[in-house]
Amino acid sequence: MSDPRWEARADLVVVGTGVAGLTAALTAGSLGLRVLVVTKGGPGDGNTRHAQGGVAVVLPAAHEPGDTVQRHARDTHAAGAGLCEADAVERIVTYGPDVVERLRRTGARFDTGEDGVLARTREGGHSTFRILRAGGDATGAEVERALLAAARDRRVAMLTGHTALDVLRTPEKEVAGLAVLDETAVPGLISAPAVLVATGGLGQLYRATSNAEGATGDGLALALRAGAGLSDLEFVQFHPTVLFTGPGARGRRPLVTEAVRGEGGVLVDVRGERVMTGVHPLADLAPRDVVSAAITRRMAATEADHVLLDATHLGPEAFRRRFPTVHAMCAAEGIDAAREPIPVAPAAHFACGGVLATVEGRTEVRGLYAAGEVARTGLHGANRLASNSLLEGLVVGERVARAVADDLRDRAPAAPDAACWPDRPVTAAVVERDVVQREMSRHVGIGRSADGLAEAAATLTAGSRPRPLDSARAVEDAALTMTASALLAAGAERRETRGCHVRTDFPDTDDIAWCRSTTVRLDEATGQPAVHRPVPLRGAA
Ligand code: SIN
């Protein structure tokens, strides 16, 4: 790596401008920390703005009769198929009401009913109506608007158009800063004792995804290279209802929120038969993994590449009012969602696993923190409960800022010195993005087998070339390659079907051998991701 052309200094560098990153930056600023937010795009280019459904939370003054945080926790565990961590679930759902109240005080406006009480909707896996929404089906956009406005008001320093290249560490392996590249590939160095990765997900590993273009697994690769472990990576959630616009559709596809089914919409196949009847007691509102797998089976049985989501019972006026985003996105594809069934198919949506982290965002590496979709706190297990992700981003975003402030009190900031800067890798193994997306879509979607996983791994190995990390695109491609290898290792290891991980060669859930998480780290000898036993995290309860 050529020497940095500029240097800056902060107490905390936050990589990413989604709900977790912005919440952390605002909280850290209020605690007196010098914060610098780094994002490869513009502010708010991540997945947060695309979240339609809402925030799952049980507010003391606005909940359905009989709903409780314990019931929310039970639904979370049921969706997570045995792999949620009880402590993480309990703490995140319990902290939820406070963080949502603070978000409202920050300026976020949630929808209310005619009685002025907060409106609540329902999505897959929820046993009752407990999801707050904004703008009908534009909750993420409203949350992001409020957080960005607060960040502007409070003058949070933000470096847009800068790609995080590598976490720099001292010879003692503690975080010392972050190397970045600007849009013209000029390298820069930010000295900081704390780096928070809040970079979002990995949907761009697949040909079709609901995720933003920048969801290329960057934070997972950064954390792996810095020495952190990734857990539960094999559990990639496929959203059941992503708008189907033809077999050749690639890249980010419009989401059709689960709340459409929450308001009574039903899935039918191309012959007009219900998809979810007899599959699960919650039928169309079964947890997402169950619905996506059922749709995949029905598409195979009917030799069709999509099914249909029929919400015409709402009537045109009500549909347009309740789901303006879905209505507009469908209209852009020539579909009148208010009057005709919507063609949909499952697509990659959410990484249930990620950087092994506590609810306070601490990872295995001193000074490295993770929050939001990139982190694996134990909340989601093998399948995330709908609308738990904005909640997790808000809770962990706030708590990680407090954890950084606490940790920095015991630790003198270490500036990166000549010993740690030049040793950084200048090249990484990179496979063409099209090849990665083709192999992942073919072999690592809903329905995986040892043969398919091995074939994908062999193709990636054969197609891998060393490439200098001298542009944002190269950094993304290297991240996609490394994340794909890590996911393949985790997927091959788990020889059972559980949650989002559907093995055609091991169709049963094996609670004796596999009711535990897998963790992937970089193998020191090969430099490749490999499965390891997890180690206890500092500060984990
Ligand atoms: C949706 O609205 O269906 C997506 C929300 C989520 O992923 O939690």
Side-chain angles (χ1 to χ4, degrees), residues 33 63 69 71 73 91 172 188 288 294 310 366 369 383 409 434 461 512:
L33 299 182
H63 60 75
V69 288
R71 189 162 159 193
R91 291 204 292 149
E172 293 73 40
R288 236 169 236 183
D310 190 346
R366 204 166 168 83
Y369 302 81
N383 173 57
R409 268 194 287 277
D434 278 355
T461 304
I512 310 255

Side-chain angles (χ1 to χ4, degrees), residues 501-520:
H501 178 66
V502 178
R503 288 283 299 248
T504 51
D505 48 354
F506 293 98
D508 297 326
T509 300
D510 179 352
D511 276 331
I512 310 255
W514 286 109
C515 201
R516 61 180 166 85
S517 290
T518 50
T519 297
V520 172

Side-chain angles (χ1 to χ4, degrees), residues 194-238:
V195 171
L196 168 64
V197 285
T199 48
L202 48 64
Q204 295 292 332
L205 278 177
Y206 294 85
R207 281 177 162 167
T209 174
S210 61
N211 286 191
E213 286 70 17
T216 48
D218 304 6
L220 299 169
L222 273 180
L224 262 183
R225 284 203 305 274
L230 311 183
S231 280
D232 296 337
L233 208 58
E234 62 274 35
F235 301 111
V236 178
Q237 184 173 76
F238 280 66

Side-chain angles (χ1 to χ4, degrees), residues 205 431-441 459-460 463:
L205 278 177
V431 178
E432 293 281 331
R433 192 177 293 209
D434 278 355
V435 174
V436 173
Q437 292 174 337
R438 184 192 69 208
E439 293 303 304
M440 295 301 287
S441 303
T459 307
L460 296 196

Side-chain angles (χ1 to χ4, degrees), residues 52-53 123 239 255 257-258 288 349 384 386-387:
Q52 294 179 358
E123 291 182 63
H239 195 288
L255 191 67
T257 175
E258 276 198 340
R288 236 169 236 183
H349 181 60
R384 175 181 61 104
S387 287

Side-chain angles (χ1 to χ4, degrees), residues 251-274:
R252 193 177 86 74
R253 315 305 311 144
L255 191 67
V256 181
T257 175
E258 276 198 340
V260 173
R261 278 175 284 133
E263 306 290 343
V266 293
L267 289 161
V268 292
D269 67 22
V270 289
R271 300 172 305 208
E273 286 167 23
R274 292 278 296 268

